[in-house]
């Protein structure tokens, strides 16, 4: 059965892989998607997870669908927020099984968690972006942390 693509996984030890929206590895990423990763001026259309773990096989579960959908939701908001916040890669935080960092074109780090719904975190991110509407203000951000309930930490 065909599964919708939710993300791509890149690592130092394996070829890039496609992951379904339910978190199952589909197989190798097509050459055109891999080539687009090398273009620093473009924003990948799917979340790109960085993983230094062991290579995975098609059919293996990489992560749960909640995490994939959270990453996709925040990824698309950042992609629409302007070039400075264009997402480049995401990775699971070493200190938490439920938290992820998304690295942006300007070097800012967006921290999110599956402990809270994607909708709640999307609303907080959109509020933070409304408070900094100019491209210069967004480019000055170094960190946005949405992991703490109704609070947003900006640096």
């Amino acid at each position: 059965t065909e599964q919708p693509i939710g993300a791509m996984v890149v690592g130092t030890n394996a070829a890039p892989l496609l992951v379904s929206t339910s978190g199952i590895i589909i197989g190798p990423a097509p050459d055109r998607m891999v080539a687009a990763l090398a273009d620093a001026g473009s924003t990948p259309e799917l979340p790109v997870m960085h993983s230094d773990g062991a290579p995975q096989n098609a059919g293996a579960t990489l992560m749960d669908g909640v995490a994939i959908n959270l990453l996709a939701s925040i990824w698309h908001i950042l992609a629409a927020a302007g070039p400075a916040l264009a997402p480049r890669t995401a990775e699971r935080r070493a200190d938490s099984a439920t938290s992820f960092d998304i690295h942006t074109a300007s070097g800012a780090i967006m921290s999110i968690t599956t402990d809270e719904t994607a909708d709640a975190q999307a609303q907080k991110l959109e509020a933070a972006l409304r408070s900094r509407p100019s491209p210069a203000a967004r480019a000055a951000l170094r960190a946005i942390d949405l992991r703490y309930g109704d609070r947003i930490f900006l640096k």
Side-chain angles (χ1 to χ4, degrees):
T1 63
E2 191 170 313
Q3 297 192 29
I5 299 169
M8 187 173 6
V9 175
V10 297
T12 53
N13 300 326
L17 300 168
L18 295 179
V19 179
S20 73
T21 55
S22 59
I24 297 170
I25 295 174
I26 297 170
D31 290 341
R32 69 171 177 77
M33 292 179 88
V34 175
L37 292 177
D39 182 358
S42 72
T43 300
E45 59 196 68
L46 297 169
V48 178
M49 285 291 299
H50 185 266
S51 173
D52 284 329
Q56 300 281 333
N57 297 323
T61 300
L62 183 70
M63 66 179 64
D64 66 33
V66 171
I68 294 284
N69 290 319
L70 169 64
L71 286 165
S73 175
I74 300 301
W75 192 273
H76 294 299
I77 293 169
L78 290 173
L85 294 180
R88 292 291 180 247
T89 62
E91 61 191 359
R92 190 179 301 272
R93 291 180 62 96
D95 61 351
S96 172
T98 61
S99 296
F100 297 86
D101 286 337
I102 299 174
H103 300 266
T104 71
S106 66
I109 298 173
M110 160 74 57
S111 298
I112 56 178
T113 180
T114 57
D115 292 337
E116 189 175 338
T117 69
D119 287 345
Q121 289 175 90
Q123 289 173 3
K124 288 191 291 187
L125 176 56
E126 288 167 345
L129 294 174
R130 279 193 302 275
S131 74
R132 287 169 173 70
S134 77
R138 290 179 181 185
L141 288 169
R142 295 291 110 223
I144 304 171
D145 197 333
L146 304 176
R147 296 175 296 153
Y148 301 101
D150 60 355
R151 295 174 289 169
I152 305 168
F153 292 95
L154 301 172
K155 181 177 172 187

